[in-house]
């Protein structure tokens, strides 16, 4: 009996240790909420650790008491029936009020966190970013800046951001683990999330973070990803200026043929290369496409080969993709790749 109990206790401790080690072993996990990079993320992270500390203390106390009780009061050979007790006021009061204290210790910071993460920022320098989720990509619009991007958004550190969350079809969820979240994109209603990002690491002008849709939304839910780029204020201004400039394609013959194919093959019906045009969020805005490190909502790195595979048959590389297979020939694919990769 004692052996079995000790084995159970050891297994529990090992499990707890493994969970802890997985955190220590992968400190650079790109989607870890344990490396908070905003006020929002720090609030939930500190709540997490408070809960871990309190519940670990409870776990240890309960395990010790249990072990002592089982060993000390186990049945011994030739022993009489122990003294029978009916009720113990002190103990009953103890196990009634102690949980109340524990609940208050956990409840107060939880409610504070809910208030702080649900309160709109009233800051004068607030930056608004409209987020629209679609099967299976994200559109980002900056109403004050007259800018639209797809699948990656850029924000300045130290400035409060109000994300206005919408969906163009079904439920999605906006989540960049290191910045905080997650919050749902709900059909027919605007939802909001507010946060102020921390500065990029020392010596860096910006840092790229990963995020993804966190609400099952169909075939390619797992491939509905995004990038968040947090800039220093100066670097953000530079990015805005670059994005606002028209996307100038190369005039080299192959790229020029690609520009023609973009118009004639049907791409232009859904996509635009005008950085200010949301085009009703039909499809990702492709202005400055070549400056993005990944394609198809961070499905794969932005290389010529991947782009060609995507153009040839979108559904083959991203199940259920809404982009139709336009049955492009090799020449058209080549030309379109040259054109898109010149949109710096
Ligand atoms: Cu969108 Cu899951």
């Amino acid at each position: 009996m004692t052996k079995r109990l000790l084995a159970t206790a050891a297994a529990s401790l090992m499990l707890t240790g493994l969970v802890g080690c997985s955190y220590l072993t992968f400190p650079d996990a790109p989607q870890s909420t344990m490396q908070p990079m905003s006020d929002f993320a720090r609030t939930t992270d500190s709540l997490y650790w408070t809960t871990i500390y309190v519940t670990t203390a409870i776990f240890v106390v309960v395990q010790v008491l249990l072990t002592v009780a089982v060993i000390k009061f186990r049945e011994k050979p030739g022993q009489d029936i122990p003294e029978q007790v009916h009720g113990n006021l002190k103990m009953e009061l103890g196990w009634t009020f102690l949980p109340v204290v524990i609940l208050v210790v956990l409840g107060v910071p939880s409610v504070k966190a809910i208030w702080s993460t649900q309160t709109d920022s009233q800051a004068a320098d607030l930056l608004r970013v409209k987020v629209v989720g679609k099967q299976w990509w994200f559109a980002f619009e900056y109403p004050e800046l007259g800018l639209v991007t797809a699948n990656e958004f850029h924000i300045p550190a130290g400035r409060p951001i109000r994300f206005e969350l919408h969906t163009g079809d079904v439920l999605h969820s906006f989540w960049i683990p290191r910045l905080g979240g997650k919050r749902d994109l709900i059909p027919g209603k605007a939802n909001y999330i507010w946060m102020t990002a921390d500065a990029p690491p020392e010596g860096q002008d910006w840092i790229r973070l990963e995020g993804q849709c966190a609400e099952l939304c169909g075939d390619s839910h797992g491939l509905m990803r995004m990038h968040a780029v947090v800039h220093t204020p100066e670097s953000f201004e530079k990015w805005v200026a670059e994005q606002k400039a028209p996307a100038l394609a190369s005039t080299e013959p192959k790229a020029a043929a690609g520009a023609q194919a973009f118009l004639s093959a049907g791409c232009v019906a859904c996509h635009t290369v005008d950085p200010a045009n949301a085009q009703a969020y039909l499809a990702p805005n492709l202005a400055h496409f070549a400056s993005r490190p990944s394609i198809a909502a961070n499905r794969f790195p932005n290389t010529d080969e991947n782009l060609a595979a995507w153009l040839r048959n979108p559904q083959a590389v991203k199940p259920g993709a809404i982009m139709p297979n336009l049955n492009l020939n090799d020449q058209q694919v080549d030309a379109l790749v040259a054109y898109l990769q010149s949109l710096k």
Side-chain angles (χ1 to χ4, degrees):
M1 176 64 193
T2 315
K3 265 189 200 158
R4 198 179 299 168
L5 186 87
L6 287 174
T8 311
S12 311
L13 283 172
M14 270 170 64
L15 194 65
T16 316
L18 276 177
V19 173
C21 287
S22 69
Y23 163 59
L24 296 173
T25 321
F26 304 109
D28 295 327
Q31 298 205 102
S32 171
T33 55
M34 290 174 171
Q35 290 171 299
M37 253 211 72
S38 78
D39 52 349
F40 188 117
R42 259 178 282 112
T43 301
T44 45
D45 185 63
S46 88
L47 193 57
Y48 172 82
W49 284 109
T50 305
T51 309
I52 288 285
Y53 293 141
V54 171
T55 50
T56 304
I58 295 170
F59 174 80
V60 170
V61 170
V62 170
Q63 293 299 319
V64 168
L65 289 178
L66 188 65
T67 309
V68 169
V70 167
I71 293 172
K72 190 168 174 196
F73 301 109
R74 70 187 187 282
E75 188 186 16
K76 295 169 191 109
Q79 189 183 32
D80 284 342
I81 293 177
E83 184 196 340
Q84 299 299 296
V85 284
H86 300 281
N88 181 322
L89 187 65
K90 273 188 200 157
M91 286 184 77
E92 282 159 18
L93 285 174
W95 68 56
T96 303
F97 287 105
L98 198 57
V100 172
V101 172
I102 294 167
L103 284 180
V104 169
V105 167
L106 291 177
V108 169
S110 302
V111 172
K112 267 175 73 179
I114 292 171
W115 279 106
S116 77
T117 57
Q118 292 283 350
T119 308
D120 194 357
S121 168
Q122 300 299 329
D125 63 342
L126 181 87
L127 178 67
R128 285 160 60 216
V129 181
K130 184 175 174 184
V131 180
V132 181
K134 299 281 301 237
Q135 284 172 320
W136 289 273
W137 60 282
F138 289 96
F140 300 101
E141 187 177 350
Y142 299 75
E144 285 107 359
L145 304 175
L147 265 183
V148 181
T149 66
N151 300 319
E152 69 170 45
F153 65 87
H154 294 241
I155 52 172
R159 189 167 159 192
I161 316 287
R162 181 199 288 148
F163 293 96
E164 188 184 311
L165 310 173
H166 298 266
T167 167
D169 38 49
V170 300
L171 275 172
H172 301 278
S173 189
F174 180 70
W175 190 34
I176 298 96
R178 292 194 61 190
L179 288 182
K182 49 192 84 135
R183 201 154 286 171
D184 283 0
L185 280 52
I186 303 168
K189 147 180 191 322
N191 214 358
Y192 295 90
I193 190 166
W194 304 268
M195 61 186 69
T196 304
D198 299 345
E202 192 76 34
Q204 276 178 238
D205 284 344
W206 51 268
I207 181 172
R208 185 176 293 278
L209 308 174
E210 292 188 21
Q212 65 176 82
C213 175
E215 175 80 41
L216 183 61
C217 57
D219 290 3
S220 277
H221 153 69
L223 301 175
M224 184 171 171
R225 305 176 192 145
M226 70 191 122
H227 279 144
V229 184
V230 179
H231 292 262
T232 59
E234 305 73 44
S235 168
F236 180 70
E237 291 308 321
K238 199 169 149 237
W239 175 80
V240 170
E242 281 166 8
Q243 293 295 305
K244 286 188 106 161
L248 287 179
S250 156
T251 47
E252 172 266 324
K254 206 197 241 181
Q260 269 309 310
F262 189 81
L263 298 175
S264 59
C267 315
V268 75
C270 300
H271 293 282
T272 169
V273 293
D274 170 3
N277 189 353
Q279 198 158 358
Y281 308 107
L282 283 172
N285 183 313
L286 300 178
H288 307 288
F289 171 87
S291 71
R292 298 180 197 155
S294 60
I295 52 176
N298 201 0
R299 168 71 182 90
F300 27 48
N302 186 0
T303 64
D304 291 359
E305 298 73 41
N306 288 338
L307 181 57
W310 170 248
L311 291 170
R312 257 183 223 110
N313 188 355
Q315 285 81 22
V317 287
K318 188 165 179 178
I322 311 286
M323 177 158 130
N325 181 349
L326 295 171
N327 295 307
L328 303 166
N329 61 39
D330 287 351
Q331 239 176 345
Q332 285 173 307
V333 170
D334 265 11
L336 278 168
V337 169
Y339 167 63
L340 290 168
Q341 297 294 29
S342 77
L343 294 173
K344 293 263 161 46

